Amino acid sequence: MPDPIIQINKASVIYNQGKDNEVRSLEDASLNIFPEEYIIIYGPSGCGKSTLLYTISGLQSATSGDAIVDGKNISEMTKKEKVILHRSSVGMVFQAFYLIDSLTVLDNVCLPMVFGGEDLQKRKEEGMSLLKRFGIAEQADKFPNQLSGGQKQRAAIARSLINNPSIILADEPVGNLDSESAENVLQILSDLNKTDKKTVVMVTHNAEHLHFANRVIYMKDGKIVSEEVNQEKRPKEVLEKEEALIEPDSISNELKLLMRTFKNFSPQQMGGLLIPYKAKQILSHILSELMEEQVAAAENFLKELMFKNIDFAGLEKKLDDDLEKGGAGWNKQRARSFSRRVKTMLEKAENISNGSNSEAIADYLLNVCGTHLDADIKEKFQSFIQLRLENKIDASTLNQKLDASRILGGIGMYKNTSKKVVKEVEILMLLKFTGKV
Ligand code: ADP
Ligand code: MG
């Protein structure tokens, strides 16, 4: 099992301690980050995100608690040791870029290497290859103030990479950029995580970025209040310990209540009545954090889609349109991926109610939950899913079957994956009620 590459243990940062103007910027924060994770620290302005990031980087000393990075306790480090840590293990990217105006772009990028003693030729070659990679080789001999914001940030990222650190810490790296440059920079950070296997920790207050992360850490008033896993990268043992924190399945209970209420309705009637509820469930299922206004608008369009007042292209457009124009004010990419996801879910639900083969459903579930099973065990997985779809077992039994080790007749999935599968199955079962929506 890999050890965490970053460990924050009960760290607090308190300014003006004991005085009238005391500020608790970070309170009792604990966090483990594992190699190759992409973590986003998310929360409103002033909630302590930067403080947490700087505590990780050693730029900020914790008032109490520990920060251990790459096996070294930062609070016990001398200044010199911190400099070495930053040179070798940690690259930093800031909202304000912090390029040196009097140096060329290439010299800015190579600057962290000067202290390492490599020869000039080798240094420049490596700097150039990073500039090429990020599409700004032509800017190498220009000065920072001749660059656009997006180009500056790409140069700053190149600088953070010049010593090949394993960790990249980025504080609101696209906060000053237009949306196209932002997208480009976010893509670069994502590539550094996926292709170069860097551990990335990014701070943002923009919910549209959250999908990039493997795990989102939510902060409020100086505290870590919750976290959300998009895609598991952590060792199984850790996930098991955190099992207790995962909220119980709420969909099926609410659905049971609803079904009892609508006992005397035909499936069609019930389907119609359920649409607002379904729209809500789909939305909360797919999205976690958008602005309230954006969510409310989107929920309405989803209802319109399900009542067949608009089609999928219409949904996508409405989501993308600005709030002022009566849309939901999302960005294009998110509107597209959302309406595609809804489309697939509704199609799958329809397939289920038409009695389609369970293999296609099984493949879909595995795909959506980002996991893979070998052929022999997949057949078994399929049969469990079938049992649930036919309502012969309940959601928690399905969860047990998926979670149990193979020796005990289960599928041996990670806890979080089995939870995800069960949730997806439950929502498909809810959606299939009307058949065609
Ligand atoms: P975020 O990055 O989430 O916007 P910060 O970590 O920058 O938030 O700040 C958290 C809180 O700590 C804020 O209330 C901020 O005003 C306060 N703070 C930050 N730096 C200082 C400082 N040097 N002295 C006093 N208060 C500070
Ligand atoms: Mg900040």
Side-chain angles (χ1 to χ4, degrees), residues 62-74:
T63 312
S64 61
D66 289 314
I68 298 161
V69 177
D70 233 357
K72 292 160 218 114
N73 193 333
I74 291 192

Side-chain angles (χ1 to χ4, degrees), residues 15-16 23 25 43-52 171-172 203:
Y15 292 104
N16 312 317
V23 182
S25 297
S45 179
C47 71
K49 305 181 294 295
S50 297
T51 306
L52 175 58
D171 189 8
E172 307 260 8
V203 162

Side-chain angles (χ1 to χ4, degrees), residues 269-286:
Q269 283 173 314
M270 198 165 96
L273 285 168
L274 276 173
I275 279 181
Y277 172 71
K278 287 182 191 179
K280 199 177 200 63
Q281 287 297 340
I282 293 185
L283 204 74
S284 67
H285 182 68
I286 299 180

Side-chain angles (χ1 to χ4, degrees), residues 348 357-371 373 378 381-382 385:
K348 290 297 155 195
N357 74 13
S358 56
E359 188 176 357
I361 304 295
D363 283 336
Y364 165 76
L365 291 170
L366 293 172
N367 187 22
V368 157
C369 300
T371 189
L373 294 174
K378 209 179 93 182
F381 172 76
Q382 213 171 296
I385 298 298

Side-chain angles (χ1 to χ4, degrees), residues 92-160:
M92 289 215 65
V93 179
F94 302 90
Q95 177 171 5
F97 321 125
Y98 296 134
L99 296 167
I100 297 173
D101 285 336
S102 56
L103 294 179
T104 66
V105 169
L106 182 59
D107 286 340
N108 263 287
V109 169
C110 295
L111 194 62
M113 258 186 157
V114 173
F115 308 106
E118 286 82 2
D119 75 81
L120 188 70
Q121 194 52 35
K122 183 169 163 272
R123 222 157 66 204
K124 298 234 157 168
E125 273 167 24
E126 287 184 22
M128 271 316 287
S129 81
L130 284 167
L131 292 180
K132 268 194 203 118
R133 174 172 177 186
F134 301 144
I136 46 172
E138 283 171 15
Q139 275 67 38
D141 296 324
K142 294 187 182 159
F143 291 91
N145 61 15
Q146 296 172 282
L147 268 53
S148 72
Q151 290 172 329
K152 281 185 196 164
Q153 194 57 296
R154 282 180 274 161
I157 292 177
R159 180 187 55 191
S160 79

